């Protein structure tokens, strides 16, 4: 049975207008005129026999039917875009673009990346570490390592690792005038903060420590700089297990106390459906899991 489809050329115009709630912005995105967007949407409405937009003097808004249709059409166009990337990409070699956070790239991925290159010399890895959540199709991303609660829509996501948070410091802070022997000794040391969800107030509360200002100390937007500050004996950091594992293994950092808090956020490997048909993506995905399992 043939599919019942609307005029396919109208769908990008409708999708853009629905996302922007503006025919003018949709026209700018698609390099068309305002009139072309308007005609495409009206043509689609006539073929469907429903109103997709309520039109005002200077604005438009989706009708309930339009909002429901826009969600489905947007998802369908995303899948088509992802399938196109997969279909047209080289299967065995080329550039692999990986999206991840600055902290994960600097503290975990980059120090290990030479091992991936050694086994996959035909793949050139490009890292995108923008603080903005990357879009696979728009930004040309092949695979991502995302940190959060999971449940990413329209893509495949696999749990890579859970994470614990505990104080870490240079071994130098275990000696001297005020050695770190118990959590109460933190009052003699600088607290290092990054932009992580578990903060010092939470950890100190779980440790049963009073009399320490949890907001004192130095603060970094970058987890990479926060870890470097701890390595150089500038204070004590709430270290995220994945980001301090190499420094702990090398002895540059130590855990002075046993209390670790489990984070609700986790690391996920995320990629478009069908992306593993590309050898470079599958190779990198498999390597990530192997490296994480090795510790």
């Amino acid at each position: 049975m043939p599919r019942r489809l609307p005029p396919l050329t109208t769908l990008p115009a409708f999708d853009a207008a629905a996302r922007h709630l503006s025919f003018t912005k949709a026209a700018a995105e698609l390099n068309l005129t305002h009139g072309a967007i308007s005609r495409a949407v009206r043509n689609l409405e006539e073929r469907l026999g429903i109103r997709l937009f309520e039109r005002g003097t200077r604005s438009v808004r989706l009708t309930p039917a339009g909002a429901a249709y826009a969600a489905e059409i947007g998802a369908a166009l995303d899948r088509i875009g992802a399938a196109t990337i997969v279909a047209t990409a080289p299967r065995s070699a080329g550039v692999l673009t990986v999206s991840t956070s600055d902290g994960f790239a600097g503290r975990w991925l980059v120090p290990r990346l030479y091992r991936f290159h050694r086994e996959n010399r035909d793949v050139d890895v490009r890292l995108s570490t923008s603080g903005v959540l990357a879009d696979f199709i728009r930004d040309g991303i092949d695979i991502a390592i995302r940190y959060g609660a999971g449940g990413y829509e329209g893509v495949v996501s696999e749990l890579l690792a859970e994470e614990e948070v505990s104080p870490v410091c240079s071994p130098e802070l275990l000696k001297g005038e005020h050695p770190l022997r118990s959590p109460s000794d933190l009052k003699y040391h600088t607290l290092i903060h990054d932009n992580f969800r578990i903060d010092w107030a939470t950890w100190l509360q779980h440790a049963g420590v009073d009399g320490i200002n949890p907001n004192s100390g130095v603060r970094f937007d970058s987890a990479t700089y926060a870890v470097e500050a701890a390595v150089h004996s500038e204070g004590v950091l709430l270290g995220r297990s994945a980001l301090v594992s190499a420094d702990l293994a090398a002895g540059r950092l130590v855990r002075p106390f046993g209390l670790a808090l489990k984070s609700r956020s986790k690391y996920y490997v995320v990629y478009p459906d069908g992306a593993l048909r590309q050898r470079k993506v599958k190779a990198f995905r498999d390597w990530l899991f192997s490296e994480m399992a090795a510790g």
Side-chain angles (χ1 to χ4, degrees), residues 111-263:
R112 295 167 169 82
L113 200 54
Y114 73 94
R115 290 198 281 264
F116 177 79
H117 284 143
R118 189 168 58 198
E119 298 170 7
N120 301 272
R121 298 188 182 277
D122 58 341
V123 180
D124 294 326
V125 176
R126 301 289 185 267
L127 290 181
S128 172
T129 58
S130 168
V132 179
L133 192 63
D135 180 276
F136 287 95
I137 297 171
R138 183 192 65 225
D139 300 325
I141 301 299
D142 293 302
I143 191 169
I145 302 100
R146 289 181 177 170
Y147 184 72
Y152 303 105
E153 295 184 1
V155 291
V156 178
S157 64
E158 299 181 90
L159 176 63
L160 177 63
E162 297 185 342
E163 187 163 68
E164 290 186 337
V165 181
S166 61
V168 295
C169 65
S170 164
E172 295 299 314
L173 299 191
L174 301 184
K175 52 192 177 183
E177 184 179 359
H178 298 292
L180 279 169
R181 293 173 179 160
S182 70
S184 62
D185 293 326
L186 286 167
K187 63 188 175 190
Y188 300 113
H189 297 271
T190 300
L191 302 183
I192 300 174
H193 308 258
D194 65 10
N195 56 1
F196 187 53
R197 294 168 179 80
I198 295 180
D199 56 16
W200 273 109
T202 303
W203 191 90
L204 290 169
Q205 181 181 18
H206 279 80
V209 177
D210 296 319
I212 296 177
N213 180 0
N215 299 313
S216 65
V218 294
R219 186 173 300 274
F220 298 90
D221 288 333
S222 167
T224 297
Y225 296 145
V227 175
E228 282 299 312
V231 167
H232 288 91
S233 306
E234 295 180 23
V236 186
L237 169 71
L238 276 179
R240 297 159 56 179
S241 55
L243 305 191
V244 298
S245 59
D247 295 291
L248 289 169
R252 292 186 293 267
L253 292 175
V254 294
R255 287 192 175 103
F257 318 121
L259 177 61
L261 302 182
K262 182 164 286 190
S263 171

